[in-house]
Amino acid sequence: MNTQKNYEIARQIYAERGVDTDAALERLRKTPISIHCWQGDDVRGFLFRDRALSGGIQTTGHYPGAARTAAELRADLDVALSLIPSKHRLNLHAIYADTDEEPDLIDLEPRHFASWVDWAKERRIGLDFNPTCFSHPMADSGFTISSADPDVRAFWIEHCRRSRKISEYFGRELGTKSVMNLWFPDGYKDIPFDREAPRYRMMTALDEARRDPVDPACHLDALESKVFGIGAESYTVGSAEFALGYAVTRGIAYTLDAGHFHPTEVISDKIPSVLLYTKELMLHVSRPVRWDSDHVVILDDELRAIAQSLVRTGLIERTHVGLDFFDASINRIAAWVIGTRNMLKALLLAYLEPADELRRIELCGDYTSRLALTEELKVYPFAAVWDYYCERMGVPVREKWLETVRRYEKDVLLKRA
Ligand code: RNT
Ligand code: ZN
């Protein structure tokens, strides 16, 4: 197929509507996605390989080939990155430390992540970070940093304090600010008597964990809210009001996860509100199916709406777009490629909107034209623009990438016993 010729036709069709497709592609090229490392090994990490995943999150499935070491995970990521157009970032969790020393979470230091920094430097990509406040004996009560037990609380405060140093080190070494996402599974399975005390403890513990000054050019804290988790159905300490209030009053970022709200709520509508009150925003783009199931992101209406919220009013400039899904029932590299390419497709669709025209139409109250135009735009020749972009970025066009994944599965993944 003639990708170039198809693009020329598409470019003219968009141009008739006043849309510059070359400019849209240039904007897309400059939009990094923070790709989550934990899709590659079902959120296990390398520090405590015998611990089951806890914190009310779950991976299901037994697809072969999960990475068992940092070297394997990096090799898998290299394959995924070779199939995703343009440069992105990698989002690491503390349990992905690459060391033989067997440190506990409160012993972690930047040097335990040196191999990741070398890898990122070679590829000229940025790193983001997360303290891991689950899958650990100190989290077995269902509470971490908001625990009523001062020893438990102190443990998690120290882990988060150290995590900030690691995140700052990423930013300094790589010359691009690392966003460190704080998420705590803390909550009650059944109805609590006191809903305030754990929140007060979380607030003060977070202040303590964040007491060391860090270079804002290298590190940014973000706090993620949640509505419920498995085993914490009745009460979550870090609720939406808690996390947004904390982020606003402390001048940090708030993290919106697409699966962390009631089923009819959507984060696409929350993005513009949150960014009125916080300087920056982190996203965990995910796909909840009936619950916070973290399915692979597909190009559905909500994904498109998220991208529209970010692009139409320029809020993407203050947003860190991260992914958060984990499916152990399909090829994990394919999961990364599908989800990330879909995020990029959604952004490109948004960059291809005739924004000025639609804004003018809306402001003059012409809702007929607004509906007519947005519906017709859905079937504009977007695919020709996307294909051309993939070709130009040197990655496979359309589903051709699956051949590479299949070959790697046969040669490498299936050989991991
Ligand atoms: C859990 C949160 C959290 C985790 C990752 C692994 O519900 O979404 O972000 O998924 O930190
Ligand atoms: Zn999340």
Side-chain angles (χ1 to χ4, degrees):
M1 282 307 289
N2 195 330
T3 308
Q4 176 78 40
K5 215 174 83 200
N6 292 344
Y7 176 68
E8 286 310 325
I9 296 166
R11 175 204 255 159
Q12 277 172 40
I13 295 173
Y14 278 104
E16 280 167 26
R17 215 45 283 157
V19 174
D20 180 343
T21 51
D22 292 329
L25 290 179
E26 190 48 23
R27 289 175 80 188
L28 185 64
R29 195 180 64 78
K30 291 187 177 144
T31 310
I33 308 298
S34 182
I35 300 175
H36 55 312
C37 73
W38 52 93
Q39 164 62 67
D41 76 332
D42 315 334
V43 208
R44 295 192 60 166
F46 313 120
L47 288 185
F48 319 109
R49 294 210 35 97
D50 44 332
R51 290 289 302 184
L53 181 57
S54 80
I57 54 178
Q58 222 153 56
T59 54
T60 55
H62 299 93
Y63 203 85
R68 299 159 302 178
T69 63
E72 286 183 355
L73 189 59
R74 283 192 283 267
D76 295 357
L77 278 162
D78 278 334
V79 177
L81 293 177
S82 75
L83 305 173
I84 297 166
S86 75
K87 283 231 177 289
H88 299 287
R89 307 174 63 86
L90 179 69
N91 198 1
L92 283 171
H93 243 282
I95 46 172
Y96 291 82
D98 186 11
T99 168
D100 301 327
E101 293 170 29
E102 301 186 11
D104 201 348
L105 295 173
I106 52 168
D107 308 318
L108 286 174
E109 289 185 25
R111 66 194 164 83
H112 298 128
F113 295 86
S115 64
W116 284 109
V117 167
D118 291 344
W119 179 85
K121 269 185 188 162
E122 270 169 33
R123 281 147 193 80
R124 298 189 182 197
I125 65 174
L127 292 176
D128 296 307
F129 198 57
N130 304 251
T132 307
C133 305
F134 50 84
S135 303
H136 189 281
M138 287 297 249
D140 282 350
S141 67
F143 286 83
T144 64
I145 205 163
S146 72
S147 169
D149 179 337
D151 293 338
V152 174
R153 220 162 52 239
F155 178 91
W156 294 107
I157 288 170
E158 182 60 14
H159 175 51
C160 292
R161 195 180 75 85
R162 282 173 178 258
S163 292
R164 292 175 89 233
K165 306 264 181 222
I166 295 162
S167 169
E168 186 184 35
Y169 153 76
F170 286 174
R172 197 181 328 110
E173 288 293 317
L174 299 167
T176 165
K177 182 169 74 184
S178 158
V179 182
M180 190 186 92
N181 183 57
L182 295 144
W183 171 69
F184 307 97
D186 302 30
Y188 283 119
K189 180 183 176 72
D190 225 327
I191 305 157
F193 174 76
D194 184 346
R195 290 175 182 269
E196 190 206 11
R199 289 184 173 135
Y200 183 79
R201 286 194 297 267
M202 184 175 279
M203 179 181 78
T204 50
L206 270 171
D207 286 344
E208 221 184 308
R210 299 182 50 256
R211 66 188 181 272
D212 298 337
V214 286
D215 183 351
C218 299
H219 164 90
L220 172 71
D221 287 312
L223 181 61
E224 179 177 15
S225 68
K226 192 164 175 176
V227 63
F228 85 97
I230 300 296
E233 289 84 356
S234 302
Y235 171 79
T236 293
V237 183
S239 61
E241 295 76 11
F242 175 90
L244 182 58
Y246 189 88
V248 168
T249 53
R250 271 58 173 184
I252 66 167
Y254 176 42
T255 299
L256 283 170
D257 183 306
H260 288 195
F261 295 89
H262 292 288
T264 57
E265 284 184 84
V266 282
I267 66 164
S268 52
D269 186 50
K270 299 179 188 294
I271 290 166
S273 296
V274 169
L275 279 167
L276 287 176
Y277 304 107
T278 68
K279 229 170 81 198
E280 292 175 69
L281 172 70
M282 170 91 195
L283 293 185
H284 272 187
V285 181
S286 192
R287 178 165 56 106
V289 179
R290 304 195 186 279
W291 70 293
D292 180 29
S293 59
D294 291 297
H295 277 65
V296 178
V297 165
I298 59 171
L299 187 57
D300 56 8
D301 286 349
E302 173 58 4
L303 188 69
R304 297 185 55 169
I306 289 169
Q308 289 163 354
S309 278
L310 292 175
V311 167
R312 285 177 179 176
T313 43
L315 297 176
I316 190 133
E317 301 301 330
R318 294 191 283 134
T319 304
H320 305 273
V321 182
L323 303 173
D324 186 9
F325 50 78
F326 26 96
D327 191 336
S329 75
I330 61 172
N331 181 298
R332 293 170 186 80
I333 297 170
W336 269 322
V337 176
I338 294 165
T340 312
R341 283 175 68 120
N342 281 335
M343 186 71 243
L344 293 171
K345 285 180 212 157
L347 286 166
L348 179 55
L349 280 161
Y351 286 134
L352 287 170
E353 287 185 324
D356 293 342
E357 184 180 10
L358 281 162
R359 192 167 295 112
R360 192 174 43 71
I361 284 171
E362 181 164 273
L363 280 175
C364 70
D366 182 2
Y367 306 141
T368 308
S369 298
R370 181 179 65 184
L371 186 61
L373 187 49
T374 48
E375 284 304 298
E376 291 300 335
L377 280 166
K378 285 182 178 171
V379 290
Y380 266 49
F382 161 76
V385 183
W386 170 250
D387 289 350
Y388 169 75
Y389 181 64
C390 289
E391 188 169 278
R392 223 189 58 196
M393 291 290 125
V395 304
V397 173
R398 290 192 290 279
E399 61 276 16
K400 275 237 156 50
W401 60 264
L402 190 55
E403 291 166 20
T404 305
V405 172
R406 286 297 182 212
R407 206 174 325 116
Y408 185 74
E409 176 172 278
K410 189 167 153 282
D411 296 345
V412 180
L413 299 181
L414 292 178
K415 291 181 179 153
R416 292 178 188 164

